[in-house]
């Protein structure tokens, strides 16, 4: 029997699915470390947990360590420590090292979390990625812009996805950014050359230093382009066949990148670009399951439970690679206008050949506040064995379904 601590600050829907999966593993006792009081837990989850420990700050390694020690006194030694939130990977690694718990160490966790350090490690290993600098003063940003040229991308060094990410197209944009939010020693900024081309994700499982399973997705269009154009609705496509030359570049480079960052065993989510000349470049990597419904899409594409498979991987270090059986895609329904959701249009005009492909959805509700995110205010996920059929249906969904704000 393995005793496992799962750290989850708050039980959002996706996080809860991962906690439930860990709690269902045979011969595993899962205890939850969270900011949520026990009486706020879903009854089914509460009944499946071996323990619960509430803390005030789930990102504080000291509080996490105290919770692990408290649970160890109640249940016996905690032997694994898990989390899916990217911001928790370094604190958890620090607690593991302090308490002698197996798993990812602080150096590796920081390589994944600190985007400036990540790029330095990747470039030193010969992995193609964007030129970058960590600006701690406005002069750093100006010098980098003069050396590299425009366009540039500015992001927080410990960011996740495209959140708080901006594109600077000209010196005037740089000047406006420096006036509004200048970098400082206590607030540095990661500045990178802007990569152009097709963007997607590379999700993979590594066991004992070897990639044993991988998946590739296409982003249509890129998240940064969606952020810059409020009228766009984002799409993620998982093509059924990833064995051809179209994805050979990233499938060849990605294992080298993961080894350079120090990963031994785990599931990672990598953002990557295919440049116009066909070469590939790694954007960034998270040592965590993918967000934005991609984990669920992988479940549909492979007809298996990735939530449970991830938990078993992290607890037992085992993974049984599934076969990709379907193409899958998700349209992220993005409200047009400003304010709250007032209506959703076009659903009743979709033809049966599109609606019959739907396997999952969360439709926006009237009165729901807009997320303001490129991931939109709801989503529709479809699948079919033929990638061309999924691609055509995604285009029809994007052109037909419209969320109105007001």
């Amino acid at each position: 029997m393995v005793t496992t601590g799962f750290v989850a600050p708050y039980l959002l829907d996706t996080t809860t699915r991962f906690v439930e999966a860990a709690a269902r593993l045979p011969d595993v006792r899962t205890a939850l470390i969270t900011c949520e009081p026990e009486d706020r837990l879903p009854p089914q989850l509460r009944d499946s947990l071996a323990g619960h420990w509430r803390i005030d700050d789930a990102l504080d390694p000291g509080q996490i360590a105290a919770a692990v020690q408290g649970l160890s006194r109640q249940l016996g030694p905690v032997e694994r420590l898990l989390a899916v939130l990217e911001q928790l990977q370094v604190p958890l690694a620090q607690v593991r090292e302090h308490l002698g718990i197996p798993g990812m160490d602080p150096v590796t966790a920081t390589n994944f979390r600190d985007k400036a350090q990540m790029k330095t490690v990747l470039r030193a290993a010969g992995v193609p990625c964007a030129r970058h600098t960590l600006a701690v003063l406005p002069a750093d940003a100006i010098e980098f812009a003069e050396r590299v040229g425009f366009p540039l991308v500015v992001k927080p060094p410990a960011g996740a996805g495209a959140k708080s990410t901006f594109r600077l197209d000209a010196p005037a944009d740089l000047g406006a950014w420096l006036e509004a939010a200048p970098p400082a020693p206590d607030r540095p900024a990661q500045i990178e050359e802007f990569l152009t081309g097709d963007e997607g994700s590379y999700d993979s499982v590594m066991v004992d230093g070897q990639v044993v399973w991988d998946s590739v997705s296409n982003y249509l269009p890129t998240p940064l382009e969606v952020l810059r154009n409020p009228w766009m609705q984002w799409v993620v496509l998982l093509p059924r066949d990833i064995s051809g030359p179209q994805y050979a570049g990233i499938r060849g480079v990605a294992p080298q990148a993961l080894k350079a960052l120090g990963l031994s065993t785990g599931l990672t989510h990598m953002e990557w670009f295919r440049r116009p000349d066909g070469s590939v470049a790694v954007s960034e990597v998270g040592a965590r399951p993918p967000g934005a419904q991609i984990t669920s899409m992988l479940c549909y594409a492979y007809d298996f439970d990735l939530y449970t498979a991830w938990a078993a991987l992290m607890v037992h270090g085992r993974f049984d690679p599934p076969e990709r059986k379907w193409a899958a895609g998700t349209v992220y329904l993005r409200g047009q206008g400003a304010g709250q959701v007032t209506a959703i249009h076009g659903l009743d005009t979709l033809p049966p050949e599109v609606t019959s492909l739907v396997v999952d959805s969360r439709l926006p509700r009237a009165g729901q506040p807009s997320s303001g995110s490129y991931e939109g205010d709801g989503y529709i996920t479809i699948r079919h064995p033929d990638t061309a059929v999924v691609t055509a249906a995604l285009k029809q969904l994007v052109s037909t379904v419209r969320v109105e704000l007001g």
Side-chain angles (χ1 to χ4, degrees), residues 69 176 229 325 343 386:
Q69 291 169 320
N229 296 280
K325 301 177 180 179
D386 189 335

Side-chain angles (χ1 to χ4, degrees), residues 237-319:
L237 169 68
L238 296 178
R240 181 176 181 183
D241 183 10
I242 61 171
S243 63
Q246 183 179 5
Y247 302 112
I250 187 58
R251 298 183 79 194
V253 165
Q256 179 187 355
L258 298 176
K259 289 180 181 179
L261 295 171
L263 186 69
S264 175
T265 296
L267 171 63
T268 58
H269 175 68
M270 177 183 295
E271 312 284 347
W272 66 283
F273 281 85
R274 184 191 300 106
R275 298 185 179 100
D277 65 2
S279 64
V280 300
V282 173
S283 177
E284 57 187 55
V285 197
R288 55 168 176 81
Q293 304 306 314
I294 295 177
T295 297
S296 292
M297 289 173 65
L298 290 166
C299 294
Y300 291 118
Y302 287 89
D303 261 344
F304 89 129
D305 183 355
L306 182 55
Y307 297 90
T308 299
W310 171 84
L313 172 71
M314 303 308 294
V315 174
H316 300 301
R318 300 193 303 265
F319 187 86

Side-chain angles (χ1 to χ4, degrees), residues 60-231:
D60 179 356
Q63 293 189 38
I64 296 171
V68 171
Q69 291 169 320
L71 289 168
S72 295
R73 290 191 293 270
Q74 292 180 356
L75 305 173
V78 172
E79 300 161 275
R80 297 290 187 273
L81 196 55
L82 315 182
V84 292
L85 188 68
E86 181 161 340
Q87 295 89 326
L88 273 167
Q89 301 310 318
V90 172
L92 256 63
Q94 294 169 339
V95 174
R96 290 191 195 102
E97 183 177 65
H98 176 62
L99 299 180
I101 298 173
M104 188 163 57
D105 60 83
V107 171
T108 301
T110 303
N111 284 345
F112 280 95
R113 179 65 178 147
D114 185 322
K115 305 311 179 188
Q117 180 168 318
M118 173 191 295
K119 292 293 197 313
T120 299
V121 170
L122 293 179
R123 290 183 71 84
V127 176
C129 59
R131 289 176 290 174
H132 73 284
T133 190
L134 185 66
V136 296
L137 295 171
D140 300 329
I142 294 170
E143 185 279 330
F144 183 76
E146 291 175 345
R147 175 163 48 91
V148 175
F150 294 92
L152 298 171
V153 176
V154 177
K155 61 179 71 173
K163 295 178 176 64
S164 302
T165 299
F166 307 97
R167 174 174 164 172
L168 309 178
D169 287 311
D173 296 333
L174 175 62
W177 171 68
L178 290 175
E179 183 175 347
D186 62 340
R187 193 182 62 254
Q190 171 81 355
I191 306 180
E192 303 176 2
E193 65 175 324
F194 178 71
L195 295 174
T196 59
D198 301 325
E199 185 178 0
S201 69
Y202 174 87
D203 302 291
S204 66
V205 168
M206 182 173 275
V207 176
D208 295 332
Q210 299 297 320
V211 172
V212 299
W213 172 85
D214 64 358
S215 170
V216 181
S217 79
N218 297 330
Y219 294 166
L220 308 167
T222 68
L224 194 55
E225 188 176 355
V226 177
L227 279 173
R228 289 166 55 86
N229 296 280
W231 56 271

Side-chain angles (χ1 to χ4, degrees), residues 376-387:
D377 306 301
Y379 63 86
I380 298 174
T381 298
I382 62 175
R383 73 173 182 180
H384 188 275
D386 189 335
T387 302

